[in-house]
């Protein structure tokens, strides 16, 4: 009993220490994605509903609504800004807060909450693997170390990524379902899907495994949130949101941090069709403009992406019918991110949360080498060694994608968990 109490105390200290360290490093940094949520709420609150979404005309350029940049400049802000791409309900809810909580305070609160959520995500992943006591402490320590040294973890913390909350909810859904808390599991996954749509695909695994309690909870909570969103925001705003989602689906966006198959194909096979989009925060006289590249995927390419998504869902369902291993979940998460039209490095957070378990599955030596092979390519020191070839390929994007593919493969091929 005393040992368990010591482990609990150690976990509390780790959570607090990690939150304090993260806040000290990132607490007052720039948070463009979180800022987008506040701005969408602000403009909705003042009645400028046409400024909630950018309203793309078929091509996702990642530029914000027209009034955002002038507003930010009037507030003395000149750093990067990205569009709002979440469901309307969260713009409405955030709008209720904007008269009370300014943008800076909004970001400071997130800087305190997000590291706790990240630590909680890793602890839940550890619990799902069966780790308890000091084994769970070691799992969390290793997991947090991975988050701090890799770009997916550190960039998410630096930018106060809402993806941290989504990742926490996904891992919570997995852990709670395995623990038999089906209502909580379904609710967590439904909330994750109400923030980012893609977690809804994971319910396929529950359906195939006949986890009816979790499925029912997901359906009830999801339907309630969807209905509430329409009641609060109205259908027209949802139409614009869905149109922007369609634009994202039909666009390949290339940056150093978009780990996925689409950007790799765009770089290698369609480099001449890529259009450079400069960020709004570039100085007018800057010699080297910072930005990103985009291209329309076309009907065939988008159709093949849909086929890949359906194939993944079918494969996941077949494996889940026979009682899939725990690590099949993070494999599906990695595969889903790889074939999705737009996956930033932090979309792999819920899968990376399970990475410490590879030491148990493969053994300390082989597992350690696998962890190193996955982690090293997505750290700043290693990426700094990558030259920019004459072809202009963004090697960090390709290397990061290969590393994440290796992560998924390691989960899929992992030996079964040892029996007690």
């Amino acid at each position: 009993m005393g040992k368990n109490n010591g482990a609990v105390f150690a976990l509390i200290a780790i959570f607090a220490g990690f939150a304090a360290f993260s806040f000290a490093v990132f607490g007052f940094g720039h948070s463009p994605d979180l800022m987008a949520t506040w701005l969408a709420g602000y403009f909705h609150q003042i009645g400028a509903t046409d400024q909630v979404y950018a309203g793309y005309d078929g091509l996702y350029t990642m530029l914000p609504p027209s009034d955002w940049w002038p507003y930010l400049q009037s507030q003395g802000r000149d750093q990067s800004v990205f569009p709002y791409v979440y469901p309307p309900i969260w713009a409405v809810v955030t709008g209720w807060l904007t008269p009370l909580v300014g943008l800076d305070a909004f970001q400071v609160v997130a800087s305190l909450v997000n590291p706790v959520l990240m630590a909680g995500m890793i602890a839940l992943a550890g619990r799902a693997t069966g780790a308890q006591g000091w084994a769970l402490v070691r799992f969390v320590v290793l997991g947090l170390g991975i988050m701090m040294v890799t770009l997916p973890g550190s960039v998410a913390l630096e930018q106060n990524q809402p993806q941290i909350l989504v990742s926490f909810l996904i891992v919570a859904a997995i852990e709670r379902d395995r623990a038999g808390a089906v209502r909580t599991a379904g609710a967590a996954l439904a909330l994750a899907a109400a923030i980012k749509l893609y977690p809804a695909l994971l319910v396929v695994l529950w359906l195939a495994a006949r986890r009816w309690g979790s499925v029912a909870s997901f359906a009830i909570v999801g339907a309630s949130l969807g209905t509430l969103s329409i009641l609060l925001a109205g259908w027209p705003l949802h139409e614009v949101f869905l149109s922007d989602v369609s634009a994202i689906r039909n666009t390949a966006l290339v940056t150093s941090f978009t780990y996925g198959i689409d950007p790799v194909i765009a770089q290698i096979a369609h480099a001449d069709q890529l259009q450079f989009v400069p960020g709004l925060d570039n100085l007018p006289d800057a010699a080297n403009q910072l930005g990103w590249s985009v291209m329309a995927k076309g009907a065939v390419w988008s159709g093949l992406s849909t086929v890949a998504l359906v194939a993944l869902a079918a494969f996941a369902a077949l494996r889940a019918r026979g009682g899939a291993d725990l690590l099949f979940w993070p494999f599906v998460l990695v595969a889903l991110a790889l074939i999705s039209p737009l996956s930033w490095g932090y979309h792999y957070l819920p899968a990376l949360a399970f990475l410490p378990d590879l030491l148990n599955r493969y053994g300390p030596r082989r597992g350690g080498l696998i962890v190193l092979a996955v982690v090293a390519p997505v750290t700043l020191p290693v990426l700094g060694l990558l030259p920019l070839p004459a072809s202009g390929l963004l090697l960090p994007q390709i290397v990061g994608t290969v590393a994440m593919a290796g992560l998924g493969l390691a989960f899929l091929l992992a030996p079964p968990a040892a029996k007690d």
Side-chain angles (χ1 to χ4, degrees), residues 38 42 45 93-103 105-106:
W38 190 94
Y42 168 79
Q45 180 69 15
V93 172
T94 305
W96 297 339
L97 300 175
T98 54
L100 306 173
V101 181
L103 180 53
F106 192 64

Side-chain angles (χ1 to χ4, degrees), residues 13-26:
I14 290 167
F15 272 54
F18 182 71
F21 175 77
S22 177
F23 186 80
V25 176
F26 304 122

Side-chain angles (χ1 to χ4, degrees), residues 3-321:
K3 290 183 178 179
N4 287 336
N5 288 341
V8 170
F9 178 79
L11 282 173
I12 293 173
I14 290 167
F15 272 54
F18 182 71
F21 175 77
S22 177
F23 186 80
V25 176
F26 304 122
F28 298 95
H30 181 50
S31 309
D33 263 353
L34 187 69
M35 182 170 68
T37 301
W38 190 94
L39 287 169
Y42 168 79
F43 281 102
H44 187 275
Q45 180 69 15
I46 66 173
T49 55
D50 63 318
Q51 292 297 310
V52 174
Y53 294 104
Y56 300 103
D57 186 19
L59 184 68
Y60 178 63
T61 63
M62 210 165 69
L63 293 175
S66 58
D67 291 355
W68 283 24
W69 186 244
Y71 171 78
L72 290 172
Q73 288 184 308
S74 72
Q75 302 297 308
R77 302 178 187 274
D78 58 2
Q79 291 179 290
S80 60
V81 56
F82 300 142
Y84 177 74
V85 291
Y86 304 101
I89 185 174
W90 309 117
V92 175
V93 172
T94 305
W96 297 339
L97 300 175
T98 54
L100 306 173
V101 181
L103 180 53
D104 290 329
F106 192 64
Q107 295 181 156
V108 167
V109 171
S111 294
L112 291 169
V113 173
N114 277 333
V116 176
L117 289 174
M118 184 173 284
M121 172 187 70
I122 296 170
L124 286 169
R127 283 172 57 92
T129 68
Q132 300 178 12
W134 288 104
L136 181 58
V137 172
R138 291 191 292 272
F139 190 103
V140 173
V141 169
L142 177 57
L144 290 178
I146 290 170
M147 293 299 170
M148 288 306 300
V149 300
T150 59
L151 289 173
S154 59
V155 171
L157 288 170
E158 179 186 22
Q159 296 189 359
N160 282 311
Q161 257 298 320
Q163 181 64 35
I164 295 176
L165 172 59
V166 174
S167 300
F168 171 84
L169 290 169
I170 290 172
V171 177
I174 297 170
E175 191 276 335
R176 288 291 79 198
D177 174 74
R178 296 180 71 85
V182 295
R183 293 181 180 178
T184 304
L189 190 61
L191 183 55
I195 302 172
K196 290 282 188 77
L197 301 181
Y198 78 89
L201 180 74
L202 299 176
V203 80
V204 169
L205 279 78
W206 285 344
L207 284 167
R210 297 178 174 84
R211 307 289 294 176
W212 304 125
S214 296
V215 172
S217 177
F218 171 85
I220 293 169
V221 175
S224 299
L225 287 170
T227 302
L228 182 61
S229 184
I230 294 172
L231 290 174
L232 289 175
W235 181 246
L237 205 56
H238 285 78
E239 288 184 312
V240 180
F241 165 64
L242 293 175
S243 177
D244 281 2
V245 170
S246 177
I248 293 172
R249 186 179 71 86
N250 294 308
T251 300
L253 187 148
V254 180
T255 76
S256 295
F257 198 47
T258 46
Y259 301 155
I261 294 174
D262 278 358
V264 172
I265 295 174
Q267 284 200 80
I268 295 175
H270 303 285
D272 58 330
Q273 298 178 40
L274 287 170
Q275 305 174 36
F276 181 73
V277 181
L280 296 176
D281 54 323
N282 280 298
L283 295 175
D285 57 348
N288 296 315
Q289 297 276 301
L290 299 178
W292 47 91
S293 298
V294 299
M295 66 168 290
K297 290 168 58 175
V300 174
W301 189 349
S302 294
L304 290 174
S305 296
T306 301
V307 170
L309 185 63
V310 172
L312 174 61
F315 176 64
L318 287 173
R319 285 291 294 265
R321 286 181 64 185

Side-chain angles (χ1 to χ4, degrees), residues 319-341:
R319 285 291 294 265
R321 286 181 64 185
D325 184 88
L326 169 67
L327 294 189
F328 186 67
W329 283 86
F331 161 76
V332 171
L333 288 166
V334 170
L336 180 57
L338 286 171
I339 64 176
S340 292

